[in-house]
Amino acid sequence: MGEDRTLLIIWHSRTGASEQMAKAAARHENARLIRASNVTTHDLLDAAGYVFVCPENLASISGEMKEMFDTHYYAVLGKIEGRPYASIIAAGSDGEGAQRQLDRIATGWRLKRVADPKVVNFGAQKAEEIWAEKTVPPQIERECEELGLSISEGISLGVF
């Protein structure tokens, strides 16, 4: 287990949606919110659990999120097994490709999924819709907040 009971919420966003959802998931005292490009191996090792939040780009996780995994994958391999994780994907259509890719990486790390994947479909299909700034509906923000809080409480109670 990580040195503390912190839930690390790692995010990347291009149009604001993933950032808004990550911030919502981090609205509790045991959360630490950090952009994917700023994550260190130490951050991953110290955390007790993770929420990965990113957009789906071309049926994959975003490049910045992938780079975070590429950079730290082997440094933490075998050292974070069994820790809980969840994911939030901002998608233009189905989000399945990004979710599948993220789950394969988490499987390699032997993380334990503790919440159903959350894929938020913004329905953006045209270039101008895809690149437009997004606003997350209040209900989705509440769901992201509840997700972060429930995982954090599970960590604190020793459930995960």
Side-chain angles (χ1 to χ4, degrees), residues 23 34 42 47 62 68 70 73 81 84-85 113 118 132 139 143 145-146 148 154:
K23 286 179 177 178
I34 188 165
H42 185 74
S62 65
M68 184 279 301
D70 287 345
Y73 187 84
E81 293 178 0
Y85 87 99
R113 177 172 279 290
K118 180 151 195 64
Q139 177 59 34
E143 292 170 9
E145 185 174 358
E146 290 169 5

Side-chain angles (χ1 to χ4, degrees), residues 73-90:
Y73 187 84
Y74 293 105
V76 302
L77 188 63
K79 299 175 183 173
I80 60 172
E81 293 178 0
R83 295 183 191 178
Y85 87 99
S87 58
I88 304 170
I89 306 290

Side-chain angles (χ1 to χ4, degrees), residues 32-73:
R32 180 164 180 234
L33 181 66
I34 188 165
R35 186 179 174 126
S37 61
N38 296 327
V39 171
T40 67
T41 298
H42 185 74
D43 294 325
L44 291 163
L45 291 172
D46 278 354
Y50 315 92
V51 177
F52 303 108
V53 188
C54 68
E56 178 178 54
N57 295 137
L58 303 173
S60 298
I61 59 177
S62 65
E64 187 173 312
M65 185 65 77
K66 177 71 166 60
E67 178 65 17
M68 184 279 301
F69 285 121
D70 287 345
T71 299
H72 304 290
Y73 187 84

Side-chain angles (χ1 to χ4, degrees), residues 13 16 26 36 46 64 101 115 122-123 134 137-139 149:
S13 189
D46 278 354
E64 187 173 312
Q101 184 182 25
F122 288 89
K134 308 291 187 295
Q139 177 59 34
L149 182 58

Side-chain angles (χ1 to χ4, degrees), residues 135-154:
T135 300
V136 176
Q139 177 59 34
I140 298 297
E141 277 197 58
R142 280 191 295 278
E143 292 170 9
C144 293
E145 185 174 358
E146 290 169 5
L147 174 67
L149 182 58
S150 66
I151 295 170
S152 182
E153 286 180 355

